[in-house]
């Protein structure tokens, strides 16, 4: 997977994780996910996965 694609996917996944977290805590309403403990737990995990993808994308191709 190319570097820009990996970074783009990582950013999207991280933003979705943030959105899911905010919905889980009830900050963002209008969804079945709003106020749900499940999404308050899964959201940060998804966001961390996105951040890891961004970091991997940024590090891809670097030589030590």
């Amino acid at each position: 997977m190319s570097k820009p694609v990996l970074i783009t996917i990582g950013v999207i996944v991280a933003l979705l994780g943030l959105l899911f977290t905010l919905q889980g805590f009830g900050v963002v309403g209008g969804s079945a996910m709003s106020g749900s403990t499940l999404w308050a737990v899964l959201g940060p995990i998804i966001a961390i996965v996105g951040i890891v993808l961004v970091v991997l994308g940024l590090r891809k191709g670097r030589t030590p």
Side-chain angles (χ1 to χ4, degrees):
M1 192 174 296
S2 71
K3 185 175 181 174
V5 171
L6 191 59
I7 293 170
T8 302
I9 291 172
V11 168
I12 292 169
V13 170
L15 289 174
L16 286 174
L18 176 63
L19 176 63
F20 295 165
T21 302
L22 294 175
Q23 285 181 323
F25 285 120
V27 175
V28 177
S31 169
M33 294 166 45
S34 297
S36 172
T37 304
L38 174 68
W39 293 107
V41 173
L42 290 179
I45 295 169
I46 294 168
I48 289 171
V49 169
I51 292 168
V52 168
L53 289 174
V54 170
V55 169
L56 289 175
L58 292 173
R59 294 175 53 97
K60 187 174 182 174
R62 286 191 181 174
T63 55

